[in-house]
């Protein structure tokens, strides 16, 4: 049987790299599409692609999502069975400085991906949303069926808009679509703009690390290998438009009007930020210079996923203990930067 083909956007990114690696290991053919944006160190992105290119099942195009003609051409040539759309302008804090980048990448870019998915009648379109869409919600853990209308940043707002846009296309064109709500992803090859990377660098370099809200923060840290395992299994969980709303099971976010659902992909474990910092110090064997700061604009004090739906759909739930995940990250960091 011919290998199934998956078009992965954001393949040079943190999650896209790990997902592509897993799919290749499982015999899929993967085409990666990435604009190599300079939001963070482009060399890290190039290195991730170089690793993937060692597998003959991987090919790639460098291009921006906003370039609809190029993206269409790639989709025509590769003819994917499945599209996993991960490319985006990510980051909560940067969205305060440069909101327009989020509109360009996340709104226009996602629209172009949806158009290609529709034209090619892919079996399944899967796209990244975020736990940030839960915004000011305080009932925890967060469930996919609760109302999520209080986004606090333009990043979160563009992702919520993506969910809406995707629902409309799923409804209009019978395009099976799954939106993932990821919860603070971490692990080897991680993003330099995220806390784990910055804390590790600060502790190794002996420079102060900024700890927001005086450390009174909780995050549902999700290990990247668990996360991509969840994505891989969700590829097979193709949503089917229900005949009647009564057919939707309790707790399932399946739409009554479209082959569409939203799924939390999180560890379902609320970890105190200071415990996370302790784990990094232990892994490195050095103490941090802690610079306690106020809560940052647009930030939320806690996130925590209910991962019941993911488990129901796939039989799987992430389970890596954060101390083990931190150890793996630090080992990668020390090797990569030969510190
Ligand atoms: N990492 C997390 O904790 C987290 C949490 C929630 C949601 N997400 C979402 O998951 C997805 C992947 O995140 P990540 O952590 O791998 O981020 P990342 O920044 O490492 O990867 C995104 C990739 O997309 C590319 N890209 C960005 N804008 C583009 C554009 N307009 N055209 C083409 N390529 C473009 C970048 O070059 C980058 O390689 C994103 O949609 C992000 O919003 C991530």
């Amino acid at each position: 049987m011919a290998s199934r083909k998956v078009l992965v956007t954001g393949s040079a990114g943190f999650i896209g790299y790990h997902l592509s690696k897993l799919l290749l290991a499982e015999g899929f053919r993967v085409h990666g599409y990435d604009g190599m944006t300079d939001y963070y160190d482009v060399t890290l992105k190039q290195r991730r692609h170089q690793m993937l290119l060692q597998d003959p099942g991987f090919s790639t195009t460098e291009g921006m999502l906003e370039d609809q003609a190029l993206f269409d051409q790639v989709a025509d040539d590769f003819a994917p069975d499945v599209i996993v759309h991960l490319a985006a302008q990510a980051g909560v804090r940067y969205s305060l400085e440069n909101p327009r980048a989020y509109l360009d990448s996340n709104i226009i870019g996602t629209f172009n991906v949806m158009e290609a998915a529709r034209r090619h009648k892919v079996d399944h379109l899967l796209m990244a949303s975020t736990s940030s869409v839960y915004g000011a919600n305080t009932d925890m853990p967060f469930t996919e069926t609760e109302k999520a209308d209080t986004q606090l940043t333009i990043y979160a707002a563009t992702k919520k808009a993506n969910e809406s846009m995707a629902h409309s296309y799923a409804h209009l064109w019978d395009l099976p679509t799954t939106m993932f709500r990821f919860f603070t992803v971490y692990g080897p090859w991680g993003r330099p703009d995220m806390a784990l990377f910055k804390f590790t660098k600060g502790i190794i370099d002996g420079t102060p690390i900024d700890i927001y809200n005086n450390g009174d923060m909780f995050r549902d840290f999700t290990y990247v290998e668990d996360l991509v395992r969840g994505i891989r299994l969700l590829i097979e969980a193709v949503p089917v438009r229900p005949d009647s709303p009564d057919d939707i099971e309790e707790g399932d976010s399946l739409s009554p009007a479209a082959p569409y659902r939203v799924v939390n992909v999180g560890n379902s474990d609320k970890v105190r930020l200071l415990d996370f910092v302790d784990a990094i110090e232990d892994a490195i064997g050095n103490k941090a210079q802690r610079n306690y700061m106020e809560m940052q604009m647009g930030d939320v004090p806690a996130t925590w996923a209910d991962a019941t739906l993911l488990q129901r759909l796939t039989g799987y739930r992430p389970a890596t203990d954060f101390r083990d995940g931190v150890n793996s990250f630090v080992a990668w960091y020390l090797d990569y930067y030969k510190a």
Side-chain angles (χ1 to χ4, degrees):
M1 203 177 84
S3 305
R4 285 166 78 205
K5 293 188 279 183
V6 184
L7 177 55
V8 176
T9 74
S11 50
F14 170 42
I15 297 171
Y17 161 69
H18 283 277
L19 176 68
S20 300
K21 198 168 113 183
L22 176 64
L23 293 176
L24 291 166
E26 295 208 354
F28 288 86
R29 277 178 59 199
V30 177
H31 191 85
Y33 188 94
D34 199 299
M36 300 287 180
T37 65
D38 62 4
Y39 170 57
Y40 64 77
D41 183 15
V42 175
T43 312
L44 185 58
K45 298 183 182 185
Q46 289 165 340
R47 289 279 297 273
R48 295 187 187 121
H49 260 183
Q50 281 163 12
M51 302 286 288
L52 294 173
L53 282 164
Q54 289 172 12
D55 190 308
F58 185 75
S59 54
T60 177
T61 303
E62 187 170 329
M64 294 298 282
L65 297 168
E66 294 89 320
D67 186 344
Q68 186 171 20
L70 179 62
F71 192 75
D72 274 348
Q73 185 63 51
V74 167
D76 279 345
D77 292 347
F78 186 61
D81 301 300
V82 171
I83 298 179
V84 183
H85 173 43
L86 300 171
Q89 179 58 56
V92 170
R93 293 191 185 93
Y94 183 65
S95 71
L96 304 176
E97 294 160 32
N98 194 353
R100 188 170 294 278
Y102 293 74
L103 299 180
D104 293 341
S105 291
N106 303 1
I107 302 292
I108 305 297
T110 297
F111 174 72
N112 290 341
V113 173
M114 283 167 31
E115 270 291 294
R118 171 181 79 84
R119 283 200 310 109
H120 283 276
K121 294 193 177 9
V122 294
D123 299 338
H124 196 178
L125 170 64
L126 303 100
M127 309 205 282
S129 184
T130 167
S131 59
S132 298
V133 301
Y134 290 110
N137 289 13
T138 50
D139 271 354
M140 302 222 188
F142 296 137
T143 60
E144 298 87 343
T145 49
E146 75 189 57
K147 220 168 115 146
D149 287 336
T150 53
Q151 289 73 45
L152 299 178
T153 59
I154 201 78
Y155 167 60
T158 58
K159 289 291 186 175
K160 185 68 201 292
N162 288 166
E163 294 183 3
S164 254
M165 290 157 62
H167 183 273
S168 73
Y169 260 44
H171 168 77
L172 291 169
W173 309 111
D174 231 353
L175 177 63
T177 304
T178 298
M179 299 292 306
F180 320 112
R181 289 181 180 161
F182 297 149
F183 285 71
T184 316
V185 190
Y186 74 102
W189 294 92
R191 270 170 41 196
D193 62 316
M194 291 185 70
L196 174 57
F197 195 110
K198 291 200 281 194
F199 291 172
T200 300
K201 185 171 186 336
I203 295 170
I204 289 172
D205 295 351
T207 53
I209 61 168
D210 292 341
I211 299 180
Y212 297 123
N213 205 28
N214 297 309
D216 191 15
M217 301 264 268
F218 295 84
R219 285 290 179 271
D220 194 341
F221 292 103
T222 309
Y223 190 58
V224 67
E225 288 184 10
D226 292 351
L227 181 105
V228 298
R229 167 71 49 201
I231 297 177
R232 187 266 167 272
L233 293 169
L234 282 170
I235 289 176
E236 314 303 340
V238 183
V240 177
R241 188 192 298 251
D243 291 331
S244 138
D246 299 337
D247 294 344
I248 303 171
E249 285 179 38
E250 179 74 26
D252 190 351
S253 61
L254 185 66
S255 165
Y260 171 94
R261 65 159 68 83
V262 173
V263 185
N264 287 341
V265 187
N267 203 50
S268 207
D269 183 18
K270 201 169 69 142
V271 175
R272 223 171 130 239
L273 182 61
L274 294 182
D275 293 338
F276 198 69
V277 176
D278 288 347
I280 306 170
E281 289 178 339
D282 289 348
I284 297 171
N286 222 337
K287 290 285 174 201
Q289 296 176 42
R290 300 178 181 208
N291 182 25
Y292 290 104
M293 299 186 55
E294 300 211 320
M295 183 79 163
Q296 299 291 290
M297 265 170 75
D299 222 345
V300 294
T303 64
W304 180 14
D306 183 330
T308 310
L309 182 58
L310 172 68
Q311 183 162 30
R312 194 197 294 173
L313 294 170
T314 64
Y316 174 77
R317 68 189 300 153
T320 299
D321 184 89
F322 74 91
R323 295 170 203 86
D324 296 333
V326 163
N327 281 337
S328 300
F329 173 82
V330 169
W332 168 79
Y333 185 98
L334 291 172
D335 179 57
Y336 187 84
Y337 293 101
K338 300 281 184 284

